[in-house]
Amino acid sequence: MNKVILMGRLTRDPEVRYSQGAEPLAIARYTLAVDRRGRRDANGGDQTADFIQCVSFGRTAEFAEKYFKQGTKIAISGRIQTGSYTNKDGNKVYTTEVVVEEQEFAESKAVAGNGGGYQAADRPAPSNASAEGFMSVPENMENDLPF
């Protein structure tokens, strides 16, 4: 089984090209910065990240071109694909990338526009919420609840 699920931020805007032919196919390439959980850099500073090369095709690529920008937090699923080629110096170069099958935003537009920080004070509290944050349910409605 070859299945990958990742969540991270785009390091730059996706690079999109279209294939030649009667029906051009969109091909989007982007790099996803994925944090390593619990790992710190050698100096004990910030978390380190892996930079994963991703490629998507067709409608998935067109979506990336239209909506994804540098810094956008996304979740993807797909498969790992490896390959190799010989560069102009005659050296063999090995490649590894994730072929994206599904992708979606991993944070709301409001949070993304807020620099990624969520402010609870930005959300209004329900008018009939108790101090614990729960709303009281009228007795005549208790039997109508779906749970």
Side-chain angles (χ1 to χ4, degrees):
M1 179 185 299
N2 183 354
K3 183 77 169 179
V4 176
I5 301 171
L6 299 170
M7 182 167 53
R9 294 192 183 274
L10 295 173
T11 60
R12 63 180 183 275
D13 292 353
E15 178 183 313
V16 181
R17 297 183 181 182
Y18 288 83
S19 65
Q20 301 296 319
E23 294 183 37
L25 177 70
I27 303 166
R29 294 186 178 279
Y30 53 84
T31 303
L32 199 58
V34 179
D35 286 335
R36 290 184 186 175
R37 270 191 142 164
R39 294 282 179 112
R40 301 283 179 190
D41 68 8
N43 299 325
D46 293 334
Q47 284 186 319
T48 58
D50 290 306
F51 297 90
I52 312 295
Q53 303 298 316
C54 302
V55 62
S56 61
F57 300 94
R59 295 185 77 165
T60 307
E62 291 169 1
F63 182 89
E65 178 181 34
K66 187 172 183 179
Y67 297 108
F68 290 173
K69 303 290 180 233
Q70 179 178 352
T72 303
K73 188 173 188 179
I74 62 171
I76 66 166
S77 65
R79 60 185 170 82
I80 291 180
Q81 179 172 285
T82 60
S84 65
Y85 64 92
T86 304
N87 67 12
K88 62 183 178 183
D89 299 327
N91 297 323
K92 193 161 194 164
V93 178
Y94 294 93
T95 63
T96 302
E97 61 190 1
V98 173
V99 177
V100 177
E101 295 167 353
E102 297 176 318
Q103 60 191 9
E104 59 187 66
F105 293 103
E107 65 186 358
S108 71
K109 197 173 192 178
V111 172
N114 196 13
Y118 177 76
Q119 301 296 325
D122 294 342
R123 182 184 62 192
S127 60
N128 56 349
S130 67
E132 293 86 27
F134 295 103
M135 294 175 55
S136 59
V137 177
E139 288 183 30
N140 63 343
M141 290 187 65
E142 288 178 345
N143 294 332
D144 294 336
L145 296 175
F147 48 90

